Amino acid sequence: MDINDLKSYFESIFNTSSANPYFSPGRINLIGEHTDYNGGFVLPCAITFGTFGLIRKRQDKKIRLYSLNFKEVGLIQLDLLHLEYNKNHSWANYVKGMIKYMSYKNLNINLGFDILVYGNIPNGAGLSSSASLEMLIGTMLKEEFSLNVDKKTVALTGKRVENEYIGVNSGIMDQFAVAFGKKNSAIMLDCNTLYYEYVDMDLKDNIIVIMNTNKRRELADSKYNERKSQCEKALLKLQSVIKINNLCDLTLEEFNKYKYVIKNPIEEKRALHAISENERTKKATELLKGNDLKSFGVLMNQSHLSLRDNYEVTGKELDILAESSWNQRGCLGARMTGAGFGGCAIAIVSKKDLDDFVENVSNHYKKVIGYDASFYVASIGEGSTKIN
Ligand code: GLA
C-alpha cells in the first residue's frame, strides 16, 4: 500500500480528495527495558515500519475517522466537543485522547477533520503501534492547526493519553522514540530529565533482525501496571533509608547496601532489574559510541536474562527466540524488546549469516512453540513527520 492507494481510499471513504499525508514510525528498544518509569536511561530507535495517515480539515466541528487496519470497526463519527473514551471505538480511542488533550491548551483546534490511517506495524507486537498512532495524530494537529508546541510536548501528551485516557501506566520511551526518531541513529534518553542524545548506529556488516513471537500482547491486560507498582513499593521502602526520587537514582552498589529494607523478595528482584538494567544501558551507550558491537551484544543478552529472571516479563516464546538466537553463528546479541509478555525480540546478526540464522531460529521456535514466528529486518528511520 502506498500513498496513492491511500489517497484513493480517502476519496472513496470521505468523498473528497486533497488530504495531507503524514507518517509516524514504530520503535524498537536496543536496551533499557522497564527503566523509563523508574527514572532511568533507554536506548530506542524509530523503525521504518509505522503508521500512515491522511487528514483533511473540515468547515464544521465533525470528526470522521477510518482505519484500514480495523475495517470491521467502520467509520467513526464524532464531534470535536465530545471526545469521551468509548470501548467500542477501539483503535480510535488513541486518536480521541490525543485530540482531547491537545485541544485543552490549543484553542485554535476549532474545526473538525477527516482522518484515514493505515499501519504496517503488526498490532500488539510490542513495536509501539499505539505510540505511533498517537504521535501521528499529534503531528497532524500541530501542523494542520499551526500549533505552537514542541515535539517533547506532543510526546508527553501521548504518554498522558496512555496513562489517563487508556489506563496503562507506561513511561515516556515509546512516544519519545517515535517523535524524535532519526535515520540510522539510536536515541539515548534520560527519562528522568528528558535529556537526550543521538548515537550513530554503525552496524558495519551486521543488521538488526526483529523476531515476532506472534503471541499477542495487550499492554492494558498485562502485568505491566503490576510491575510498575512493585517498583514503586520497593522505592518507597528504599526512600526510608536514602534520599532518592527514582529507583534508577541508585547505583547497583548503593542498592546492595540498602536493599535489606525491602523485605519482599519479589519487589527486591524487580528493583534489582531496574537498577542493573539502567547501568547496562549507560554502559551499552558508551560501547555503541565506541563501535564495540560485540560487547554491546553481551549486554543485550544480560538484559534479557534479567528480564527473564528478575522482572519475569519474557515468557516461553520470547525466551525461545532469544536463547535460540544466542546459539547461532553470527549473532552478536539478542533480547526481548518493549514491554514483554509476548511481542518481539531483536537480534544483531552478521549479514552473511542472516539466512541460516532465520532458518534455524524459525525451525526451533516452530518445533517448541507449535506455530511460526515472523522475522523482519529493521531499518532505522525518522520520527513522525508530514510527507511531501
Ligand atoms: C512499554 C511502555 C514503555 C516502556 C516499555 C518497557 O513499551 O510503553 O513506556 O516501559 O514497555 O521498557
Side-chain angles (χ1 to χ4, degrees):
M1 178 108 49
D2 63 18
I3 287 292
N4 287 328
D5 299 329
L6 282 184
K7 283 190 170 158
S8 23
Y9 270 112
F10 193 94
E11 201 161 344
S12 67
I13 294 164
F14 296 116
N15 249 323
T16 162
S17 55
S18 75
N20 292 329
Y22 288 78
F23 173 74
S24 183
R27 67 96 190 88
I28 50 173
N29 186 20
L30 299 176
I31 193 162
E33 219 63 85
H34 292 279
T35 46
D36 61 351
Y37 53 82
N38 286 308
F41 282 81
V42 292
L43 192 62
C45 17
I47 52 178
T48 50
F49 294 114
T51 318
F52 294 88
L54 288 174
I55 180 168
R56 185 170 196 271
K57 266 162 71 176
R58 300 172 56 92
Q59 293 310 315
D60 55 21
K61 292 198 188 301
K62 274 191 200 143
I63 296 174
R64 296 189 296 173
L65 309 170
Y66 193 88
S67 167
L68 292 171
N69 299 88
F70 294 89
K71 288 185 178 157
E72 68 286 0
V73 178
L75 183 69
I76 294 179
Q77 308 207 49
L78 310 159
D79 183 291
L80 190 54
L81 303 173
H82 295 102
L83 295 167
E84 300 76 30
Y85 182 90
N86 176 343
K87 198 165 174 271
N88 298 330
H89 286 167
S90 123
W91 69 277
N93 281 309
Y94 296 96
V95 180
K96 289 165 63 184
M98 279 308 283
I99 305 169
K100 184 170 173 177
Y101 295 153
M102 296 269 303
S103 349
Y104 273 163
K105 286 195 185 147
N106 297 294
L107 299 176
N108 37 344
I109 305 185
N110 54 3
L111 290 174
F113 34 82
D114 295 330
I115 291 181
L116 170 72
V117 304
Y118 166 72
N120 57 14
I121 321 174
N123 285 308
L127 302 176
S128 288
S129 55
S130 64
S132 174
L133 178 58
E134 288 154 8
M135 295 303 96
L136 177 81
I137 302 303
T139 310
M140 282 175 158
L141 295 177
K142 175 175 151 60
E143 296 293 325
E144 299 292 317
F145 290 94
S146 309
L147 307 182
N148 187 17
V149 289
D150 57 15
K151 279 201 271 185
K152 221 176 244 184
T153 309
V154 179
L156 285 166
T157 307
K159 175 178 183 293
R160 184 169 170 214
V161 170
E162 295 284 347
N163 299 167
E164 295 175 26
Y165 197 86
I166 306 290
V168 184
N169 296 328
S170 49
I172 187 65
M173 172 172 73
D174 300 349
Q175 289 78 12
F176 203 96
V178 168
F180 284 81
K182 186 171 158 194
K183 195 165 187 235
N184 296 331
S185 299
I187 308 164
M188 184 221 68
L189 171 67
D190 177 350
C191 300
N192 189 24
T193 60
L194 296 190
Y195 169 81
Y196 69 99
E197 273 176 29
Y198 289 114
V199 184
D200 263 1
M201 297 259 300
D202 180 7
L203 292 174
K204 298 180 199 135
D205 293 330
N206 305 288
I207 41 171
I208 298 179
V209 182
I210 301 177
M211 306 177 279
N212 188 349
T213 58
N214 288 325
K215 180 185 177 197
R216 246 189 97 81
R217 176 194 58 84
E218 288 291 351
L219 259 190
D221 298 338
S222 74
K223 301 265 180 193
Y224 185 94
N225 289 350
E226 182 188 284
R227 292 296 183 283
K228 180 162 188 257
S229 83
Q230 289 162 341
C231 287
E232 283 161 358
K233 285 183 189 148
L235 173 66
L236 211 60
K237 294 179 192 166
L238 288 161
Q239 282 170 329
S240 69
V241 287
I242 181 164
K243 202 169 170 302
I244 48 168
N245 293 321
N246 299 295
L247 280 183
C248 292
D249 293 347
L250 288 179
T251 62
L252 207 46
E253 206 182 330
E254 288 166 333
F255 176 67
N256 284 329
K257 185 165 161 205
Y258 296 115
K259 66 182 182 195
Y260 69 91
V261 281
I262 299 179
K263 294 193 176 75
N264 173 315
I266 301 277
E267 289 164 18
E268 185 180 323
K269 281 206 288 186
R270 305 300 189 241
L272 170 63
H273 167 73
I275 294 161
S276 63
E277 180 77 352
N278 191 44
E279 295 211 336
R280 272 189 292 276
T281 307
K282 287 194 257 181
K283 266 189 222 149
T285 305
E286 290 315 307
L287 292 168
L288 192 60
K289 284 181 185 168
N291 260 315
D292 184 351
L293 287 180
K294 203 162 164 236
S295 313
F296 186 90
V298 174
L299 292 180
M300 287 175 76
N301 300 349
Q302 287 173 5
S303 165
H304 186 90
L305 288 173
S306 177
L307 288 155
R308 186 189 74 183
D309 301 335
N310 298 325
Y311 222 63
E312 297 177 283
V313 291
T314 56
K316 195 170 172 194
E317 295 80 2
L318 284 167
D319 287 340
I320 294 291
L321 287 179
E323 288 160 21
S324 161
S325 301
W326 298 340
N327 293 329
Q328 305 307 317
R329 199 183 50 214
C331 175
L332 298 182
R335 60 181 289 278
M336 56 154 268
T337 191
F341 313 106
C344 289
I346 51 169
I348 303 185
V349 182
S350 87
K351 280 183 194 155
K352 65 174 177 12
D353 294 309
L354 177 67
D355 291 348
D356 287 348
F357 174 89
V358 172
E359 192 183 330
N360 295 345
V361 177
S362 155
N363 288 343
H364 184 61
Y365 186 83
K366 176 99 191 259
K367 201 164 125 209
V368 182
I369 302 295
Y371 54 84
D372 283 318
S374 311
F375 296 77
Y376 329 91
V377 169
S379 306
I380 310 304
E382 298 288 335
S384 313
T385 180
K386 187 172 182 177
I387 315 173
N388 293 313

